[in-house]
Amino acid sequence: MLPEGWKISKLGEISRITTGSTPPTKNESFYYGDILFITPADLGENKYVTQTERTLSSLGAECTRLIPKGSVLFSCIGTIGKIGINKEDSATNQQINSLFPNENNNSDFIYYSLILYKPSINNLASKQAVPIINKKTFSNVPILIPPLPEQKKIAAILSTWDRAIEGTEKLLANSQQQKKALMQQLLTGKKRLPGFTGEWKFTTLDSLTDQINNGLNYDSKTTSGLPVTRIETISLGKIDFSKIGYAPDNDKTRNFKLESGDILYSHINSIDHIGKVSYYNHEKDLYHGMNLLNIRTNKKNSSCYLYYIFQSHIGKKFAVTHAKSAVNQASISISDLKMFLLKMPPLPEQKTIAAVLSTADEEITAIEADLARLRQEKKALMQQLLTGKRRVKVD
């Protein structure tokens, strides 16, 4: 049963739909101008498209179709379902269908509706090497439509959530950048914390650790037993217990139990992920599986400080310069890792620096949690508002 005053309409009934095209790329004069030329690569990061990788001249625009500002953009070839709204008159390539609403419908409401209906729209794509939703099929997609004033009120509410999400994203980016700057200063000694003046000394990683070991070999198809690490376990730069494996519960496996402060190091991976690390300080038991090294720091040094060294530009530079490339992956040997030369402060300063960076990490984690909560709440609100399950008051 439809909400009172709502109706089901097809996209082609509530908007003018235009498919873009690409001016001949051999004519460079078509691409020197200030008219936005929107492709799927320009969609998805933000609601509004304000800049593009390529632009068109007036001559280039004559070879395609200009769409008015306020059109809703939906990619229908290749990567299906990237969405945005253009803030100025623009052109698009042939992968994008543009919807310009009629006078009884609102661009922002249609934008949010397409996000909600995107999974079902994506299912309409042809099953071939390059998925396609043709214009006719797209035009016949049905969506729920309330009266225009209610559309505008719903869009305004969801836009408020977008602004909160965008503000939190900026706060997260700033915090991450501040942490990066702190690491560059504190881990090199360019900036000393109050009360520390002791000399820093060069030493190899081997002299800082009790062990640098490979993990347990086990049958990766095992689905029960003791939890063990895999490469995927640290793919996000922290231990993800949803991406662990299992090994038999026996003495051999128990010999590989991780201790608090152990550093897991990815020494076999793609060149982009080689040298990725994670710090183990969990109450949950976990055992050291194959394809990761376990670096266990000795008592004369701070394992947390060493973890931040690996996470910093210092550790990343070492990983890239010492990785030996092979087909689809790279590797760093234990012997090379042991010879990693580091300039280390005395232990008290190590601990203080690690504490400062841990505080920065805690702030980032808190912001990430806020961002995840906002996104989830917006998703739930869209489900309620765009289906009429929850009605809004229109002034």
Side-chain angles (χ1 to χ4, degrees), residues 198-257:
E199 182 183 358
W200 290 33
K201 296 181 180 180
F202 282 103
T203 186
T204 62
L205 181 63
D206 188 37
S207 64
L208 304 174
T209 57
D210 285 335
Q211 68 176 51
I212 303 177
N213 291 339
N214 279 300
L216 168 75
N217 284 315
Y218 63 94
D219 184 354
S220 60
K221 296 180 181 179
T222 302
T223 57
S224 63
L226 295 175
V228 293
T229 62
R230 304 184 298 171
I231 288 181
E232 296 85 355
T233 306
I234 68 167
S235 61
L236 299 178
K238 58 184 71 174
I239 292 176
D240 185 349
F241 281 89
S242 70
K243 295 182 179 179
I244 58 172
Y246 291 92
D249 185 352
N250 55 36
D251 290 341
K252 180 181 178 182
T253 303
R254 290 183 176 279
N255 286 335
F256 287 86
K257 186 177 181 180

Side-chain angles (χ1 to χ4, degrees), residues 342-387:
L342 299 165
K343 193 175 184 181
M344 299 288 289
L347 180 58
E349 191 169 2
Q350 290 181 37
K351 290 181 176 180
T352 305
I353 291 172
V356 170
L357 296 177
S358 293
T359 299
D361 269 342
E362 289 169 2
E363 292 175 356
I364 288 171
T365 298
I367 297 171
E368 287 174 336
D370 286 342
L371 184 57
R373 175 182 53 79
L374 285 170
R375 286 172 173 165
Q376 186 59 40
E377 289 174 351
K378 177 195 167 187
K379 183 178 179 181
L381 196 58
M382 287 175 65
Q383 182 66 42
Q384 294 176 323
L385 295 180
L386 296 171
T387 59

Side-chain angles (χ1 to χ4, degrees), residues 117-381:
Y117 292 109
K118 185 168 73 170
S120 60
I121 297 174
N122 287 2
N123 289 334
L124 301 174
S126 60
K127 309 300 181 184
Q128 55 192 59
V130 179
I132 296 175
I133 300 176
N134 63 46
K135 182 179 175 181
K136 181 179 180 180
T137 300
F138 187 68
S139 299
N140 286 324
V141 169
I143 65 171
L144 278 170
I145 297 291
L148 182 58
E150 195 167 354
Q151 289 185 40
K152 290 181 178 179
K153 186 64 177 289
I154 290 170
I157 293 171
L158 295 175
S159 294
T160 300
W161 284 86
D162 276 341
R163 288 191 291 273
I165 289 170
E166 183 180 351
T168 307
E169 288 173 337
K170 289 180 179 178
L171 183 61
L172 177 60
N174 288 338
S175 295
Q176 290 170 332
Q177 188 59 40
Q178 289 171 3
K179 179 198 167 187
K180 183 178 179 181
L182 265 178
M183 291 172 73
Q184 290 175 333
Q185 295 174 323
L186 296 179
L187 296 174
T188 59
K190 291 180 181 178
K191 179 179 180 179
R192 303 292 292 275
L193 294 172
F196 294 103
T197 57
E199 182 183 358
W200 290 33
K201 296 181 180 180
F202 282 103
T203 186
T204 62
L205 181 63
D206 188 37
S207 64
L208 304 174
T209 57
D210 285 335
Q211 68 176 51
I212 303 177
N213 291 339
N214 279 300
L216 168 75
N217 284 315
Y218 63 94
D219 184 354
S220 60
K221 296 180 181 179
T222 302
T223 57
S224 63
L226 295 175
V228 293
T229 62
R230 304 184 298 171
I231 288 181
E232 296 85 355
T233 306
I234 68 167
S235 61
L236 299 178
K238 58 184 71 174
I239 292 176
D240 185 349
F241 281 89
S242 70
K243 295 182 179 179
I244 58 172
Y246 291 92
D249 185 352
N250 55 36
D251 290 341
K252 180 181 178 182
T253 303
R254 290 183 176 279
N255 286 335
F256 287 86
K257 186 177 181 180
L258 292 175
E259 296 180 3
S260 181
D262 282 350
I263 300 168
L264 296 172
Y265 186 92
S266 183
H267 69 302
I268 300 175
N269 214 321
S270 66
I271 194 65
D272 292 334
H273 296 283
I274 197 80
K276 185 168 284 187
V277 289
S278 185
Y279 190 73
Y280 178 75
N281 58 356
H282 296 271
E283 294 181 359
K284 292 182 181 179
D285 286 349
L286 189 60
Y287 297 81
H288 178 206
M290 54 191 170
N291 296 330
L292 292 173
L293 295 179
N294 180 16
I295 300 172
R296 185 166 293 167
T297 310
N298 61 35
K299 301 300 182 183
K300 297 179 182 179
N301 293 280
S302 164
S303 61
C304 191
Y305 178 87
L306 194 57
Y307 160 70
Y308 284 117
I309 285 285
F310 282 119
Q311 200 184 67
S312 73
H313 66 288
I314 301 169
K316 291 175 182 177
K317 182 180 178 180
F318 172 85
V320 170
T321 55
H322 288 77
K324 296 178 176 61
S325 296
V327 180
N328 297 326
Q329 68 175 20
S331 62
I332 298 175
S333 68
I334 291 179
S335 57
D336 282 346
L337 195 57
K338 286 182 175 181
M339 296 309 295
F340 186 4
L341 191 62
L342 299 165
K343 193 175 184 181
M344 299 288 289
L347 180 58
E349 191 169 2
Q350 290 181 37
K351 290 181 176 180
T352 305
I353 291 172
V356 170
L357 296 177
S358 293
T359 299
D361 269 342
E362 289 169 2
E363 292 175 356
I364 288 171
T365 298
I367 297 171
E368 287 174 336
D370 286 342
L371 184 57
R373 175 182 53 79
L374 285 170
R375 286 172 173 165
Q376 186 59 40
E377 289 174 351
K378 177 195 167 187
K379 183 178 179 181
L381 196 58

Side-chain angles (χ1 to χ4, degrees), residues 9-137:
S9 295
K10 297 176 182 179
L11 292 178
E13 295 172 340
I14 62 173
S15 61
R16 184 176 76 247
I17 298 178
T18 303
T19 303
S21 61
T22 300
T25 55
K26 291 182 179 180
N27 192 331
E28 295 183 359
S29 66
F30 289 167
Y31 292 89
Y32 287 106
D34 56 6
I35 299 171
L36 298 183
F37 181 57
I38 304 170
T39 72
D42 303 308
L43 300 177
E45 289 297 321
N46 299 295
K47 177 179 178 180
Y48 295 109
V49 181
T50 56
Q51 59 184 13
T52 53
E53 291 183 359
R54 305 180 76 180
T55 55
L56 298 180
S57 64
S58 56
L59 287 174
E62 291 176 2
C63 299
T64 183
R65 303 176 185 87
L66 281 182
I67 55 172
K69 65 180 180 181
S71 295
V72 184
L73 315 171
F74 192 97
S75 61
C76 287
I77 299 178
T79 302
I80 305 292
K82 299 190 74 175
I83 309 173
I85 299 176
N86 61 326
K87 293 283 282 185
E88 58 187 75
D89 293 353
S90 316
T92 76
N93 74 351
Q94 63 277 8
Q95 294 174 270
I96 294 174
N97 280 334
S98 307
L99 303 90
F100 187 68
N102 60 32
E103 61 184 10
N104 295 318
N105 292 283
N106 176 266
S107 293
D108 292 271
F109 179 86
I110 294 174
Y111 167 82
Y112 290 118
S113 292
L114 289 179
I115 293 176
L116 181 67
Y117 292 109
K118 185 168 73 170
S120 60
I121 297 174
N122 287 2
N123 289 334
L124 301 174
S126 60
K127 309 300 181 184
Q128 55 192 59
V130 179
I132 296 175
I133 300 176
N134 63 46
K135 182 179 175 181
K136 181 179 180 180
T137 300

